[in-house]
């Protein structure tokens, strides 16, 4: 059973194939409008979500399929103490594919070992978020026309920001990507990404606390929210939450073709005035996420137009 728990579960060729499918869906949605008729996607979300859950559900509906949703863990048997393993064994009896978000790192992996249908990791704690990365890759491909030869700045909470971890893993496989890691010292990239991915592959990177200093170098600026729910104490969160706020003024030395990205939700780390800048791509990322999830569902179900 093929599941996607990490972005590294997909080869570069498969990522190319998913991007090609997504672009084909964008060009001709009618061709795909009924191809998942009779198939069911179950969304199991044990953590808050707006975009990811609704994007999976919209994706399945736009393929002509149906959706079973478990949006609130408190109303499921998890609240009675049921294990993830038992819950997914049960849901495998009803659905053809499962998208799962969980606050515990590794829970979707455990789910994939127990499910008899494909499981997609829709975010596990502060670890990985491979389908946000699919949205990000399609956005980069469409905005920049390439996935290599890029200087990519990641700014904010690089420690707990799971979308950052998955996107760095993905981009590490393309030619000449240089990483600029911008964060407070306390929120630096964890070593399983920095050592095991960036350093192990001898990729170029710089680490800094100063966003404005590196701004002119960047082709992409990937802003992130400080992940309040993963902090051990509120005091640290309050101290770090306003570390980086992107304003129109701070963009004055940026490249004219910079792509400003953010997985959303935004709190205050990008000023609303930046939304009018044509370089702001974060709402395009939302739309691209739906198309890439459509492509991924088709691939894992083995459905072809
Ligand atoms: C991200 C997440 O859930 O990790 N959101 C998303 O899925 N688009 C980012 C975040 O919550 O900050």
């Amino acid at each position: 059973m093929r599941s996607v728990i990490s972005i590294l579960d997909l080869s570069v060729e498969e990522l190319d194939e998913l991007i090609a499918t997504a672009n084909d869906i964008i060009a001709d949605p009618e061709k795909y409008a009924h191809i998942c008729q009779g198939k069911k996607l179950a969304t199991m979300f044990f953590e808050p979500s707006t975009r990811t859950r609704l994007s999976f559900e919209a994706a399945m509906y736009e393929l002509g399929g149906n959706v079973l949703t478990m949006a609130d863990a408190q109303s499921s048997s998890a609240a009675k103490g049921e294990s993830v393993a038992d819950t997914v064994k049960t849901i495998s009896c009803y659905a053809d594919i499962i998208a799962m978000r969980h606050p515990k790192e590794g829970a979707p992996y455990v789910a994939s070992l127990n499910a008899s249908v494909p499981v997609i990791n829709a975010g596990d704690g502060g670890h990985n978020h491979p389908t946000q990365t699919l949205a990000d890759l399609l956005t980069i491909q469409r905005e920049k026309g390439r996935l290599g030869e890029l200087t990519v700045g990641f700014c904010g909470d690089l420690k707990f920001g799971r979308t950052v971890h998955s996107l760095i893993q993905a981009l590490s496989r393309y030619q000449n990507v240089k990483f600029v890691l911008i964060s407070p010292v306390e929120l630096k990239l964890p070593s399983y990404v920095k050592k095991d991915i960036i350093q192990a592959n001898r990729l170029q990177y710089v680490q800094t606390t100063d966003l404005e200093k590196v701004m002119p170098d960047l082709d992409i600026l990937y802003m992130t929210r400080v992940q309040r729910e993963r902090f051990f104490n509120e005091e640290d969160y309050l101290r770090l939450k306003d570390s980086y706020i992107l304003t129109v003024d701070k963009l004055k030395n940026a490249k004219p073709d910079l792509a400003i990205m953010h997985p959303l939700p935004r709190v205050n780390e990008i000023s609303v005035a930046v939304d009018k800048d044509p370089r702001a791509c974060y709402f395009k990322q939302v739309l691209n996420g739906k198309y890439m999830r459509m492509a991924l569902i088709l691939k894992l179900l083995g459905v072809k137009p």
Side-chain angles (χ1 to χ4, degrees):
M1 192 49 57
R2 182 86 193 269
S3 288
V4 172
I5 304 304
S6 153
I7 196 68
L8 299 175
D9 293 337
L10 295 161
S11 67
V12 171
E13 293 70 33
E14 286 175 317
L15 293 178
D16 288 347
E17 188 196 306
L18 291 173
I19 289 172
T21 305
N23 281 320
D24 195 48
I25 295 169
I26 295 168
D28 187 2
E30 197 44 45
K31 188 162 111 194
Y32 294 86
H34 307 286
I35 55 174
C36 279
Q37 208 159 13
K39 302 276 187 204
K40 279 171 283 175
L41 162 81
T43 50
M44 298 171 65
F45 277 60
F46 295 88
E47 247 193 5
S49 168
T50 301
R51 271 152 295 274
T52 307
R53 184 171 64 82
L54 294 182
S55 154
F56 266 111
E57 296 182 358
M60 194 53 165
Y61 283 124
E62 289 189 27
L63 293 168
N66 289 303
V67 172
L68 303 171
T69 187
M70 209 186 83
D72 177 9
Q74 288 314 310
S75 66
S76 78
S77 288
K80 299 181 187 169
E82 186 172 54
S83 67
V84 162
D86 285 0
T87 306
V88 295
K89 279 182 193 161
T90 303
I91 293 185
S92 297
C93 299
Y94 311 140
D96 301 286
I97 185 163
I98 295 170
M100 181 186 195
R101 169 170 289 187
H102 204 286
K104 288 212 176 96
E105 287 81 4
Y109 174 63
V110 171
S112 72
L113 299 178
N114 288 280
S116 52
V117 299
V119 174
I120 303 171
N121 179 5
D124 63 326
H127 191 213
N128 280 169
H129 193 346
T131 63
Q132 179 62 44
T133 298
L134 295 179
D136 300 340
L137 293 176
L138 181 62
T139 305
I140 296 171
Q141 177 64 57
R142 287 177 74 88
E143 296 302 311
K144 309 298 297 179
R146 62 187 192 276
L147 290 167
E149 311 293 333
L150 292 166
T151 298
V152 186
F154 289 90
C155 179
D157 187 347
L158 309 191
K159 180 177 181 186
F160 296 117
R162 57 193 174 194
T163 66
V164 170
H165 308 157
S166 292
L167 183 54
I168 290 178
Q169 289 175 333
L171 290 174
S172 71
R173 297 185 293 176
Y174 294 90
Q175 289 299 310
N176 273 327
V177 176
K178 184 174 169 193
F179 297 103
V180 182
L181 308 171
I182 311 143
S183 76
V185 176
E186 295 91 332
L187 298 178
K188 283 201 292 205
L189 202 63
S191 72
Y192 75 88
V193 186
K194 188 175 156 192
K195 288 210 175 76
D196 300 354
I197 302 287
I198 297 182
Q199 292 172 338
N201 292 301
R202 297 171 191 271
L203 306 176
Q204 292 188 71
Y205 77 99
V206 290
Q207 221 161 358
T208 178
T209 53
D210 190 343
L211 171 61
E212 279 167 276
K213 197 170 110 203
V214 294
M215 187 70 89
D217 305 333
L218 306 179
D219 298 308
I220 292 169
L221 172 58
Y222 194 97
M223 293 295 296
T224 61
R225 170 179 75 89
V226 177
Q227 307 275 301
R228 180 181 205 157
E229 65 276 34
R230 316 234 183 265
F231 276 70
F232 294 110
N233 67 68
E234 184 74 0
E235 245 169 68
D236 286 349
Y237 169 73
L238 294 174
R239 187 165 49 81
L240 294 167
K241 73 182 176 61
D242 297 329
S243 301
Y244 300 98
I245 297 178
L246 184 66
T247 57
V248 171
D249 188 52
K250 286 187 189 153
L251 284 163
K252 63 180 186 297
N253 294 324
K255 288 187 181 172
D257 63 346
L258 171 74
I260 306 164
M261 299 176 63
H262 190 306
L264 303 179
R266 147 175 68 184
V267 182
N268 63 348
E269 56 282 353
I270 301 183
S271 124
V272 174
V274 173
D275 298 1
K276 289 197 214 80
D277 189 308
R279 295 170 292 186
C281 297
Y282 23 97
F283 290 103
K284 291 185 196 168
Q285 272 169 275
V286 176
L287 189 57
N288 289 335
K290 182 184 69 177
Y291 295 123
M292 285 302 263
R293 290 183 176 103
M294 290 170 80
L296 182 64
I297 290 169
L298 291 176
K299 179 168 181 62
L300 295 181
L301 289 178
V303 175
K304 291 201 169 72

